Amino acid sequence: MQNLTMKLANNGHTVDLTVTGDPVSITGGGLTNVYIVQQFHFHWGKEDKRGSEHDIDGKYFPMEMHIVHYNSKYKNFTEALNKDDGLAVLGFLFEVGKYNLRFDRIIKHFSEIPYKDEHTDIETFAMRDLLPENLDGYYRYHGSLTTPPCYESVTWSIFYQTIEISEYQLDQFRHTVHENYINETIRDISDDYRPPQCLNHRKIHCSKPVVLNSKTTNRNGRTSASATLVSVTAITSLIFLIKLFRIVF
Ligand SMILES: [Zn+2]
């Protein structure tokens, strides 16, 4: 790809890919502006039954990918970070399935970044290749970053269609990148997800009708001030977003 760089890094909490060069952007889908890709990263669990930061009707997933964009009306990511309309994050949930060759372009480099603060430039690729075929269906809400400083600056879009990945590939995430510096006791990065938070009367919209289990999930015990929850209780207020994402990669 022309004038594009992807830097893969182990920051001790996750692996992230920072994208620089010619802006890669998204627009549409109810977003009021063009948003430029800054980086993407993953959250995963030690076991298949956990790892995602969002649950759908009480169901968790073994991994979740976040593609972080900033609003092009701001100079850069840092300036956008604490603005109400500063960031748009696309979230993709993973399910255990067949081997996903497309993720090998990332996973094969884990051996170069086993320890905290290590990084490597990797060959660039079309990010669209990593995503599910169908991007029409997604949940939308306004929420926060899920890592400190947890600013309430994110327009979240969580897509219905999951990405398949094999157990073997998930194990590469679980066991080949570590949260410690080199020469320290090895500790795997795992369970690097933030649990769902209380909705606090926020509405979650979805782009088209969804049929969910009618059981509701009791979240009353949760008291945090920010919301990163997708639950059936909130889906009762459906708003149909007319425009779909036009993703320009
Ligand atoms: Zn994240």
Side-chain angles (χ1 to χ4, degrees):
M1 305 200 84
Q2 56 181 28
N3 193 22
L4 198 66
T5 306
M6 287 183 175
K7 186 178 86 171
L8 178 68
N10 173 346
N11 65 16
H13 308 289
T14 183
V15 288
D16 61 47
L17 280 124
T18 305
V19 182
T20 50
D22 288 342
V24 177
S25 62
I26 57 169
T27 183
L31 298 174
T32 54
N33 213 340
V34 172
Y35 283 73
I36 297 169
V37 173
Q38 171 73 15
Q39 57 108 303
F40 57 109
H41 62 266
F42 302 84
H43 302 271
W44 62 89
K46 274 195 178 75
E47 299 171 24
D48 293 346
K49 63 183 181 200
R50 63 177 191 264
S52 63
E53 295 200 315
H54 293 87
D55 69 277
I56 307 293
D57 195 20
K59 181 184 176 187
Y60 289 89
F61 299 79
M63 189 159 77
E64 182 167 335
M65 176 171 72
H66 291 156
I67 307 181
V68 181
H69 306 71
Y70 67 91
N71 193 330
S72 61
K73 78 190 227 192
Y74 300 111
K75 258 204 317 266
N76 52 41
F77 176 75
T78 310
E79 191 185 295
L81 192 60
N82 60 354
K83 307 296 191 301
D84 198 48
D85 60 352
L87 305 181
V89 180
L90 308 185
F92 296 91
L93 301 161
F94 287 71
E95 286 195 278
V96 180
K98 57 179 181 290
Y99 197 90
N100 189 331
L101 204 53
R102 294 174 168 189
F103 277 83
D104 267 5
R105 62 192 73 178
I106 298 171
I107 294 170
K108 73 178 182 188
H109 293 287
F110 285 178
S111 59
E112 298 160 42
I113 55 158
Y115 302 107
K116 186 176 178 180
D117 287 352
E118 293 183 326
H119 57 84
T120 183
D121 286 342
I122 68 171
E123 60 277 28
T124 57
F125 53 85
M127 288 171 63
R128 179 66 181 89
D129 282 356
L130 297 181
L131 309 183
E133 202 172 311
N134 185 343
L135 300 175
D136 293 355
Y138 53 90
Y139 302 100
R140 160 66 50 77
Y141 71 96
H142 193 259
S144 69
L145 293 171
T146 62
T147 49
C150 298
Y151 291 128
E152 295 277 338
S153 57
V154 181
T155 302
W156 281 95
S157 309
I158 308 297
F159 288 82
Y160 299 173
Q161 195 178 1
T162 54
I163 298 172
E164 260 187 76
I165 195 164
S166 72
E167 191 73 47
Y168 174 80
Q169 289 175 299
L170 278 172
D171 278 343
Q172 304 301 301
F173 281 87
R174 290 167 179 150
H175 300 305
T176 64
V177 284
H178 311 300
E179 64 180 26
N180 53 281
Y181 293 105
I182 193 167
N183 296 330
E184 292 179 348
T185 309
I186 286 183
R187 300 183 308 275
D188 292 340
I189 298 176
S190 249
D191 291 337
D192 62 340
Y193 58 90
R194 183 197 196 203
Q197 308 295 309
C198 187
L199 272 174
N200 290 331
H201 309 298
R202 270 180 255 208
K203 285 182 179 164
I204 294 178
H205 308 296
C206 55
S207 64
K208 58 183 186 180
V210 282
V211 179
L212 289 172
N213 190 328
S214 61
K215 276 190 302 182
T216 54
T217 312
N218 182 355
R219 305 282 180 186
N220 293 340
R222 302 213 161 110
T223 55
S224 169
S226 59
T228 60
L229 172 69
V230 175
S231 84
V232 68
T233 48
I235 306 284
T236 51
S237 58
L238 297 184
I239 286 188
F240 301 98
L241 300 173
I242 298 164
K243 285 192 214 159
L244 302 176
F245 274 112
R246 182 169 64 84
I247 300 202
V248 187
F249 285 142

